[in-house]
Amino acid sequence: MSNTDTRDPTSLRTPIVAVLGHVDHGKTSLLDKIRGSAVIEGEAGAITQHIGATAVPLDIISTIAGDLVDPDDFDLPGLLFIDTPGHHSFTTLRSRGGALADIAILVVDVNDGFQPQTLEALEILKRSETPFIVAANKIDTVPGWNVNEDSPINDTYESQSDRVRKRLDENLYEIIGNLSDEGFSADLYWRVQNFQRNVGVVPVSAMTGEGVPDLLTVMMGLSQRYMKEEMEIDVAGPGVGTVLEVKEEKGFGTTIDTVLYDGTIRADDTIVVGGMNKPIVTEVRALLQPRPLAEIRTESRFEKVDEVSAASGIKVAAPDLADAMAGAPVRVVRDRPLEDVVAEVEAELADIAVDTEEQGVVVKADTLGSLEAMADALDEAEVPIVRAEVGDIAPRDISVASTAEDSKQQAILGFNVDVLSDAEQRAEIDDVKLFTDEVIYQLIEEYEQHIEELERAQQDTILDNIVRPARFRILPDHTFRQNDPAVVGVEVNSGTIQNNANVVKFENNEPERVGQVKGIQEQGEDVDEARAGNRVSVAIDGPTVGRQIEEDDELWTAVPEKHAKILEQELASEIPGDELEALNMYLDKQRSRDPFWGK
Ligand code: GDP
């Protein structure tokens, strides 16, 4: 690879850097700024455009950083920035045992502060134990800001008014406070002694370049200090990498954009790639790099190279890659038994594999890494998974989801995937609910809301079919008819009288059935039920006033034992307080005779 670096390339590789953060907080702008500064500062070709990544060599970093970086303090060759920002690509970027990115920049808008995706990114960084620094971006938007293009933060900070400085400080401390709420001890980067224990916050502007020298310095220092050992690789050894993206490319068929993090890959290598069903064994047909800008008009966008070494981004063209998965491992075989390499890839895939249950929801995601992140989040939310796969939502996923025994599990959660049109139709016919989103927590929240609605609907139907408790009293001088049926005025003390309910009366706690409600009238109008506090007239089929019932008698609707049990054990929180009171009094009466009644 063209590189002005003269240090021994056989031992230390470039650390891989990923940029994360909430949408619109400036991830892309920051990457553009770093690339742009590198192009301006460096000789043409000094920064190398890779597939999916940009390599910024140490001498360019030290030129941008000025006094902040003395190149003699470093022996790492520079930094390799992954070009696709966002935690989505970050989760894809995994290597054996964790994140592929060695280090991350979490971008937070100083004015906007912590947002949902900031939290989600932090969660992922925590889980993958990736060291990171926080770029507190958009400092130039603080009202009254005095711009000093590309200047280190200290210089530009000095040139601001007290008011501006105060405002910036407040915003920065808010971010530090938010980090601390999430369990990270953080401080402004110049106060951090130990970057392994504390998160450094670097104020920057991706627009004006202010603070970018500091950002690069801190990244470089952090890698040099704490990651040097991990960067020691056998550069000449067989290449190891991760698929970033699977892409059709005119003239080359299916290709895999790969980030190589160890060893070398050559144009005549046999490679093993993680596939949908099993590892794919194939021969490299071409290794492709982006053509330098000056030559781009000549022919293809790509240039064939004979070999590349870690760390780098490379497009690999080879037969049989259609089943390759983003996030899957790539390993060069070279001088080793093929079975060993296949076994290594299988082991890595198994490592990423999601635990599934007999029953559960179907999960689809665009990459292995995001599938894993989804599975983790669902595990936390205690949602079981029956099947988890990389790919768009297809009709066969609907078939799987439609067989779920529990209607709550007749659902597919798709992260960053499309729904194929025939799948959408099938889902409607089979009553399978589809949820798709590009933010994991939102996706899970949508599903949980759906579950709540389902549960509420289920309870409503149960309640509709259950006899509700009521305690009521026959009012004195309110007998309108003696019998066939008896019609009396009553006051409902607690609970709800429903039409057709059976009526009981307790004599010394012994329930005696007196008849059945055959009509309720409130102010001359027929009604289906009467609630606590109402005075209504009821027709009761069965008794005669003066014999089985008397004026002033306390009566109850007869709640069947099974219904009483469901009400007490499952629906107690769903029914109104007065109804619960009626239920409890009713249970007390029944249980004074039979302690296990309704249990
Ligand atoms: P991303 O979604 O995180 O990649 O955010 P972008 O890089 O696309 O930035 C979102 C918007 O914020 C764009 O309009 C940028 O021009 C703007 N922006 C990004 N960084 C800065 C900054 O430092 N200062 C100012 N004033 N605007 C910025």
Side-chain angles (χ1 to χ4, degrees):
M1 306 213 51
S2 65
N3 196 321
T4 52
D5 192 12
T6 52
R7 287 172 192 79
D8 178 9
T10 59
S11 59
L12 289 175
R13 74 158 166 86
T14 320
I16 300 167
V17 184
V19 180
L20 287 80
H22 192 72
V23 63
D24 280 348
H25 279 196
K27 300 177 292 292
T28 313
S29 308
L30 188 61
L31 277 165
D32 286 349
K33 188 74 199 176
I34 292 169
R35 270 196 300 253
S37 313
V39 169
I40 293 161
E41 298 291 347
E43 302 288 307
I47 74 155
T48 323
Q49 190 56 53
H50 292 223
I51 295 287
T54 307
V56 184
L58 176 62
D59 52 356
I60 300 295
I61 290 176
S62 83
T63 316
I64 298 172
D67 293 344
L68 298 177
V69 167
D70 179 350
D72 292 337
D73 291 344
F74 298 96
D75 45 13
L76 290 177
L79 296 168
L80 183 76
F81 288 89
I82 298 296
D83 284 344
T84 338
H87 54 259
H88 156 56
S89 68
F90 181 83
T91 51
T92 307
L93 292 165
R94 39 166 309 142
S95 64
R96 189 97 213 247
L100 170 59
D102 300 298
I103 182 167
I105 303 176
L106 176 63
V107 180
V108 184
D109 183 328
V110 271
N111 298 305
D112 210 15
F114 267 44
Q115 294 299 328
Q117 285 166 296
T118 318
L119 290 168
E120 194 157 302
L122 267 180
E123 210 36 60
I124 295 169
L125 290 169
K126 204 187 284 184
R127 213 180 310 126
S128 60
E129 296 179 6
T130 307
F132 66 98
I133 56 169
V134 170
N137 191 32
K138 307 198 189 182
I139 54 172
D140 64 295
T141 60
V142 173
W145 187 262
N146 173 27
V147 172
N148 296 276
E149 294 263 339
D150 302 326
S151 123
I153 196 68
N154 188 50
D155 300 354
T156 189
Y157 189 80
E158 290 298 319
S159 85
Q160 308 301 325
S161 70
D162 285 349
R163 250 195 33 205
V164 169
R165 262 185 258 170
K166 188 159 166 273
R167 180 76 181 270
L168 176 63
D169 288 347
E170 279 168 11
N171 289 348
L172 291 172
Y173 281 108
E174 173 130 14
I175 292 176
I176 290 169
N178 289 147
L179 282 162
S180 143
D181 292 345
E182 297 308 311
F184 294 98
S185 149
D187 210 337
L188 294 168
Y189 88 88
W190 54 86
R191 299 218 185 99
V192 173
Q193 301 285 337
N194 182 337
F195 280 92
Q196 263 176 326
R197 277 212 299 262
N198 298 314
V199 175
V201 177
V202 186
V204 297
S205 165
M207 192 79 106
T208 66
E210 290 162 291
V212 170
D214 308 64
L215 188 71
L216 291 172
T217 307
V218 178
M219 298 294 291
M220 206 58 218
L222 188 57
S223 329
Q224 174 75 24
R225 186 86 181 265
Y226 301 109
M227 268 171 250
K228 207 175 136 184
E229 273 171 32
E230 289 164 49
M231 298 302 109
E232 282 167 6
I233 59 162
D234 173 15
V235 174
V240 186
T242 301
V243 178
L244 191 55
E245 226 177 309
V246 182
K247 268 188 184 163
E248 288 300 316
E249 219 62 77
K250 227 173 135 190
F252 295 104
T254 311
T255 64
I256 45 173
D257 289 359
T258 303
V259 176
L260 200 69
Y261 60 88
D262 199 358
T264 297
I265 184 168
R266 299 187 188 132
D268 60 355
D269 273 327
T270 299
I271 54 170
V272 182
V273 183
M276 298 266 187
N277 304 309
K278 57 182 193 323
I280 301 161
V281 179
T282 184
E283 310 280 328
V284 175
R285 192 179 281 158
L287 297 177
L288 304 166
Q289 279 189 335
R291 197 172 281 282
L293 271 180
E295 302 165 28
I296 211 152
R297 257 177 266 126
T298 52
E299 28 185 316
S300 145
R301 287 190 293 136
F302 303 112
E303 165 175 75
K304 288 190 188 172
V305 291
D306 291 337
E307 63 170 50
V308 286
S309 301
S312 51
I314 187 79
K315 185 183 279 294
V316 181
D320 305 324
L321 288 177
D323 273 354
M325 288 182 291
V330 181
R331 283 177 177 265
V332 167
V333 178
R334 205 185 308 145
D335 308 332
R336 293 182 296 168
L338 176 64
E339 312 86 74
D340 290 4
V341 184
V342 169
E344 279 173 14
V345 169
E346 268 169 354
E348 273 182 75
L349 288 173
D351 209 30
I352 313 172
V354 171
D355 287 336
T356 52
E357 318 267 338
E358 290 280 310
Q359 292 284 329
V361 298
V362 173
V363 180
K364 303 287 300 227
D366 58 340
T367 73
L368 271 182
S370 54
L371 194 63
E372 197 179 29
M374 271 293 292
D376 282 346
L378 284 170
D379 184 44
E380 212 154 282
E382 295 179 8
V383 177
I385 301 170
V386 68
R387 175 198 283 221
E389 275 179 1
V390 171
D392 289 332
I393 298 174
R396 64 192 185 93
D397 298 317
I398 314 287
S399 314
V400 174
S402 68
T403 59
E405 283 164 17
D406 185 343
S407 63
K408 291 176 205 153
Q409 294 172 346
Q410 289 179 0
I412 301 177
L413 280 70
F415 177 64
N416 257 322
V417 294
D418 290 330
V419 181
L420 303 178
S421 62
D422 39 349
E424 199 142 7
Q425 278 176 7
R426 273 295 299 275
E428 219 157 284
I429 297 166
D430 291 355
D431 204 17
V432 169
K433 288 275 174 294
L434 305 182
F435 302 88
T436 53
D437 207 298
E438 278 155 30
V439 181
I440 290 181
Y441 89 94
Q442 277 175 7
L443 184 55
I444 292 178
E445 236 172 55
E446 281 165 39
Y447 175 67
E448 284 179 334
Q449 267 171 17
H450 164 68
I451 297 295
E452 270 174 34
E453 274 163 33
L454 270 186
E455 280 174 353
R456 220 173 297 134
Q458 277 170 357
Q459 278 172 350
D460 285 350
T461 22
I462 295 175
L463 269 180
D464 281 350
N465 293 308
I466 250 172
V467 174
R468 319 281 283 268
R471 179 170 68 92
F472 53 104
R473 185 175 295 277
I474 303 174
L475 297 165
D477 303 324
H478 277 75
T479 304
F480 306 117
R481 192 175 154 146
Q482 213 80 28
N483 55 18
D484 286 328
V487 178
V488 288
V490 303
E491 177 175 54
V492 188
N493 304 107
S494 54
T496 308
I497 305 178
Q498 290 166 309
N499 205 7
N500 297 318
N502 284 313
V503 178
V504 288
K505 178 173 158 183
F506 287 92
E507 291 284 0
N508 303 319
N509 289 336
E510 277 296 328
E512 277 175 20
R513 183 177 183 280
V514 296
Q516 188 178 17
V517 177
K518 279 293 173 198
I520 308 171
Q521 281 198 341
E522 187 172 8
Q523 292 173 346
E525 298 281 330
D526 285 334
V527 292
D528 289 332
E529 56 175 47
R531 293 278 299 119
N534 286 7
R535 286 178 169 217
V536 292
S537 66
V538 287
I540 308 174
D541 196 26
T544 301
V545 183
R547 294 181 61 183
Q548 291 86 356
I549 53 174
E550 310 263 1
E551 291 191 344
D552 227 22
D553 266 356
E554 184 180 68
L555 301 178
W556 301 76
T557 51
V559 182
E561 188 169 358
K562 230 195 236 158
H563 293 201
K565 185 174 168 176
I566 294 172
L567 279 168
E568 186 185 31
Q569 295 180 2
E570 292 170 31
L571 299 171
S573 60
E574 303 298 316
I575 60 179
D578 63 281
E579 215 164 89
L580 190 61
E581 182 189 282
L583 174 70
N584 286 331
M585 289 172 77
Y586 188 79
L587 288 171
D588 282 349
K589 284 196 175 290
Q590 293 282 12
R591 284 174 188 166
S592 70
R593 183 178 45 87
D594 170 5
F596 297 103
W597 196 89
K599 287 204 174 170

